[in-house]
Amino acid sequence: MSRFFTTGSDSESESSLSGEELAPKPVGGNYGKQPLLLSEDEEDTKRVVRSAKDKRFEELTNLIRTIRNAMKIRDVTKCLEEFELLGKAFGKAKSIVDKEGVPRFYIRILADLEDYLNELWEDKEGKKKMNKNNAKALSTLRQKIRKYNRDYEAQITSYKQNPEQSADEDAEKNEEDSEGSSSSDDDEDGLSATSFLKKKSEAPSGESRKFLKKMEDEDEDSEDSDDDEDWGSDSTSSDSDSEEDDGKYTLLASKFLKKESNTDKKVAEKKREDKAKKKHDRKSKRLDEEEEDNEGGEWERVRGGAPLVKPKMFAKGTEITHAIVVKKLNEILQARGKKGTDRAAQIELLQLLVQIAAENNLGEGVIVKIKFNIIASLYDYNPNLATYMKPEMWQKCLDCINELMDILFANPNIFVGENILEESENLSNFEQPLRVRGCILTLVERMDEEFTKIMQNTDPHSQEYVEHLKDEARVCAIIERVQRYLQEKGTTEEICRIYLRRVLHTYYKFDYKAHQRQLAPPEGSSKSEQDQAENEGEDSAVLMERLCKYIYAKDRTDRIRTCAILCHIYHHALHSRWYQARDLMLMSHLQDNIQHADPPVQILYNRTMVQLGICAFRQGLTKDAHNALLDIQSSGRAKELLGQGLLLRSLQERNQEQEKVERRRQVPFHLHINLELLECVYLVSAMLLEIPYMAAHESDARRRMISKQFHHQLRVGERQPLLGPPESMREHVVAASKAMKMGDWKTCHSFIINEKMNGKVWDLFPEANKVRTMLVRKIQEESLRTYLFTYSSVYDSISMETLSDMFQLDLPTVHSIISKMIISEELMASLDQPTQTVVMHRTEPTAQQNLALQLAEKLGSLVENNERVFDHKQGTYGGYFRDQKDGYRKNEGGYMRRGGYRQQQSQTSY
C-alpha cells in the first residue's frame, strides 16, 4: 500500500489509478487521529526495539566472532586489535554486567584466547616462522591477557572444569533473553512479527558462540532449522494480522509497544525442555559410539586433504635393468617442482631407488646419477630462497655428498660433467668409461651457500650457532676432497672456482700455530708426535700464496681474481704483514674501479681496507691507519658497509624486497670485525695526528680538519655541563685528547690504557702487549711535539735532557723529533750541540700580529674580488689592473715570507 493513498480500499485505489490521479487533502482537525501508513518497503522490514543489554551483548559477540576468525588464521595482530576493542566495549557495558553478572561467552573467550596464546608461545618452530608484527603482537597480547584474566580467575576455572555445561547454560540464557525481550501482537499464537525478527537476528550470533560444538552437533543444526521453519509460519501469520490491524493504531510508536503474554513463556519453557532432552540423548549416544570404536581396535589419525598415493616402484616379477631404473627415475623427477608434490616423499623414493639399484648390481654409474638427483632434491626442499635448510636435511646433504665423493674416488673410470648430454651418458657399458651428467662443483658451491644461509639465520649468541659452526670443518673437508678430485679431472675454470671456495674459508682465520712457531722455534725433543704433526702441516700463508697465485695466472673472469686478491690482502693484514698487503693493494689498482663491482665484492673490499688500517695501527703507522679507515668511519655507516647489519634509518628508505636482498648479503657473525675496536683505532689515530696539528695552527684562520668525526666527539665533550669520569670508549679518547693538548702525557696514557679499555679494545689484538707498548711510545712522542708547539713562545731555550726526563724518552729520540720539526720548519729554533739545548728564535707572531695577518688576507681577497667584478663590467682586463694584479700575487707581504711561518701550511706533513 503506497503512502500516497491514505483512505479507501484496494478497489478504490485501482479505480483511482485508472482515472485521473488526485492527491488527497488531509483534514486539519482529524490529522492527529489518522493512522500514519507506511510504504510497502517499510511494511516489509519492521523496526525492532531492543534493550540496552541486547545491544551491548551483540557488540561483544560480534567482536568475539572476529577474534575467533583471527585465531583460525593465526593472525595475532588482528587478535590484539580486536581484544583491545573488546575490553573497551566491555567497559561500556559495565552497568549491565554489574546487574546481570559477567556473561558466560565472555569468560569463554578469555579462557580460550589464553590457551591459544600459550599454545602458540610453546610452539618454537611456529614462532620462528612468524613475521615480526605477529611475533611482537604475540608477546604483547600474552602479557595483556594474563594480566586481564586475574580478575576472572574463579569464573575461568569453573568454565575449564565443565566447558560443555557452560556452553549449554549460555545458549539457554541467550534464548531466554531474546524471548523475554520480544513482545506479542497476536493472542492466538502467542508470537509476533517483532518476536520472530528478534529470534531470527539473534540466531546467527548464538551459533557463533557455540564454538565448543564439534561435528557431531549437525543434528542440532538441522533441528534448529526445523524450528526456524515453524517460526517462519508464525511470522507470516503475524505479519498478515498486523497488516489488518494497521487501522487500529493511531500512532506509530503504539505499534511497537511490548505486551506481556503468559502463552509466550509457556511455549519457550516447553521448547527448552525438549531441547535439553534431545541434547542429553545425543550425548549418551555419542559416548556409546566412542566405546564401540575403542573396542574395535586402535584408530590412526589421518591428514586432511587428498591422500598421498605413493607410486609403486616396480611390479612383482619385473626384471630390473638400467633402462627401467632410469625410466622410473625420470617418472619421479617429473613431479619435481609441481604444486602439491610431497618433496620429502620424493627424496624417500629416490633413496629407495638407490637401494634397489645396489641390490641388483646395476653398477656405480646409475647410483651416481641417482645421488646427484637426491642432492638436488634436498636443495629444492625449501622453494623459498630466504629460508634455510633444516638441520636434519643439512646433515643428510653432507652425508650424501660425502658418499658421492667416495664413489667417485673409488671408481676413477666414472666421468661426471655438466657438458655431458643425457643421450651420450654411459651407465651400463662397463667396458668403456662410465659417463654421467652432473656437476659436483655446482653442488658444493650450493652447499657452501646453504651453510652461509644457516649461519645468517641463527642467533649468534645461542648454543645453536656454535653447533652449526662445528659443521664448517665438514664443509671445508668436502671442499678439499672436491679440490683434489678436480685437480685430476677438472678444467682450469673449475679449479679456479674451487680454489676460491677454499680461499673464502681460509682468509679470515688467524693462524695461531704459525704465529707460535714464529715466536718460539720448535724444539724436537720436547714436542709430542701429535704436536710435531700439527707443526708440519701447511701454513695458511703458504696455502693462500699457492691458491691465489694459481688464480692470478689462470683465471679469465675478473670477479674470481678480484675476490682472491682481496682475500690475500686481508690475510696478509690479519697476520701483520703490512708491507706485502699494502704493495698488493697498490699494484692491483682495485680502488680505481671497485665502485663498478657487485655489492658482495664491495663489502669484501671494505672489510679488507678496514683490516689493512688495523694492521697499520698495530705497526705504529698512525697516518696510514687513519687514511685507510677514513672512508668507512666518516660515512657513519660502518656497520652497513661491512655487511654486519642494517641501520634503522636506511630500512625506511627500502621496500620489503630490497630489505630481503640486503639481509642475504650480510656476513655471518663469526666473520664480523669488532666495530668498537675499529672506531677506537680510528679515533686514537686521529688524536695522535690532530692534537699536534691543532697546537701548531692554533691561531690560523685557514686551519683544516684532519678528522671531522674526531672534532665532532671533541665538541660533544665540550658541550657537556658536568664532566665526570669517562665511561665509554669515546669519552676515554676525548679525555685523553684534552690531556695531550696540555702536554700531560701521563694522564693521556692513563685514559687510553687502563683495565676498562684493555677489556673493550686492546686485549682483542693477538699481540696485545706489543700494541700497548707502541701506544705508550706514540703518546710520549706526540705529547712532546704538542708541548713544543704550545709553549715554544714561552721559552728562550730549553734543555733536551729536561724534555727527555719530562716525557721519559731517551735523548736520541728527543734529538730526532726536534731535528725533524726544525727541518720541516714547524719549529723556529736551532740546536746547540755542546750544551744539548734548543734555542728558540721567537719569530712566531703574537696574537695581535696573527689578527693583523688575518685582516690583511681578507682585505687582499676582497680587493681581488672587486677587480674581477670591475673587469667583468669592462669586458676585458685593463693593462694597469692586470699588472697590479700580477704584482700583488707575486710580491706578497714580506713579513709572511720572512718569518717562514706561512710556508708551513703548504709544507706540513699532514
Side-chain angles (χ1 to χ4, degrees), residues 114 271 402 433 509 591-592 710 742 818 825 839 907:
E114 185 176 11
K271 282 190 171 292
N402 273 321
K509 297 175 183 175
Q591 60 272 21
D592 298 335
F710 178 73
M742 304 299 295
I818 295 175
E825 297 184 358
V839 180
Q907 295 177 359

Side-chain angles (χ1 to χ4, degrees), residues 886-894:
D886 294 339
Y888 176 76
R889 286 181 173 174
K890 290 176 184 175
N891 303 318
E892 291 180 350

Side-chain angles (χ1 to χ4, degrees), residues 133-151:
N133 295 333
N134 269 352
K136 187 177 180 181
L138 176 61
S139 60
T140 307
L141 182 55
R142 184 168 174 265
Q143 291 176 356
K144 285 190 174 185
I145 195 71
R146 290 172 67 183
K147 185 177 179 181
Y148 192 82
N149 284 3
R150 289 174 190 166
D151 300 332

Side-chain angles (χ1 to χ4, degrees), residues 522-760:
E523 298 177 3
S525 58
S526 62
K527 293 282 184 178
S528 64
E529 294 181 1
Q530 183 179 359
D531 293 338
Q532 288 179 359
E534 290 179 354
N535 289 329
E536 290 173 2
E538 188 177 19
D539 281 353
S540 61
V542 178
L543 175 65
M544 290 287 293
E545 190 82 14
R546 179 169 58 83
L547 298 177
C548 290
K549 281 188 174 180
Y550 184 90
I551 293 175
Y552 300 156
K554 303 289 185 180
D555 179 58
R556 297 179 183 176
T557 62
D558 290 337
R559 190 182 187 281
I560 293 179
R561 186 167 57 250
T562 302
C563 290
I565 291 172
L566 291 173
C567 292
H568 202 182
I569 296 169
Y570 191 103
H571 193 264
H572 278 316
L574 188 63
H575 293 82
S576 300
R577 296 189 286 270
W578 156 252
Y579 292 103
Q580 293 95 316
R582 183 199 64 182
D583 294 344
L584 190 56
M585 176 63 79
L586 293 175
M587 286 189 297
S588 64
H589 296 285
L590 288 176
Q591 60 272 21
D592 298 335
N593 54 8
I594 193 64
Q595 66 271 14
H596 302 300
D598 54 341
V601 178
Q602 290 185 16
I603 289 173
L604 181 58
Y605 174 81
N606 293 337
R607 287 166 51 79
T608 303
M609 287 301 298
V610 163
Q611 199 61 246
L612 204 59
I614 294 173
C615 175
F617 181 81
R618 288 200 301 267
Q619 302 299 314
L621 306 170
T622 52
K623 188 175 181 181
D624 291 322
H626 180 271
N627 292 337
L629 301 177
L630 179 62
D631 291 337
I632 300 294
Q633 285 298 121
S634 61
S635 66
R637 296 164 49 231
K639 185 178 182 181
E640 189 173 358
L641 293 175
L642 296 175
Q644 298 181 188
L646 299 179
L647 300 177
L648 291 177
R649 64 171 180 265
S650 63
L651 287 177
Q652 299 172 357
E653 302 170 1
R654 300 186 180 93
N655 57 30
Q656 196 171 5
E657 290 300 322
Q658 289 174 336
E659 183 183 347
K660 287 180 181 178
V661 173
E662 288 288 337
R663 291 196 183 280
R664 284 201 291 271
R665 291 176 185 152
Q666 299 304 300
V667 177
F669 183 76
H670 62 280
L671 274 71
H672 281 195
I673 296 170
N674 192 315
L675 295 176
E676 190 172 18
L677 180 144
L678 172 62
E679 186 178 9
C680 181
V681 167
Y682 175 76
L683 290 177
V684 171
S685 301
M687 177 190 76
L688 295 174
L689 296 176
E690 191 79 63
I691 297 300
Y693 180 80
M694 290 169 64
H697 302 82
E698 188 173 3
S699 58
D700 187 2
R702 297 184 180 180
R703 183 181 68 200
R704 62 184 177 85
M705 287 189 295
I706 297 175
S707 170
K708 290 184 179 180
Q709 188 180 6
F710 178 73
H711 276 272
H712 173 70
Q713 296 299 332
L714 287 180
R715 286 195 295 270
V716 169
E718 290 171 359
R719 284 200 298 265
Q720 289 182 354
L722 180 63
L723 286 177
E727 295 181 0
S728 66
M729 177 271 299
R730 295 174 182 175
E731 292 176 357
H732 277 87
V733 176
V734 170
S737 302
K738 292 179 180 178
M740 181 182 281
K741 200 171 182 181
M742 304 299 295
D744 188 357
W745 76 272
K746 290 183 179 179
T747 307
C748 176
H749 167 246
S750 65
F751 281 129
I752 292 294
I753 299 175
N754 50 54
E755 290 184 3
K756 188 177 287 187
M757 290 292 285
N758 287 341
K760 285 184 175 181

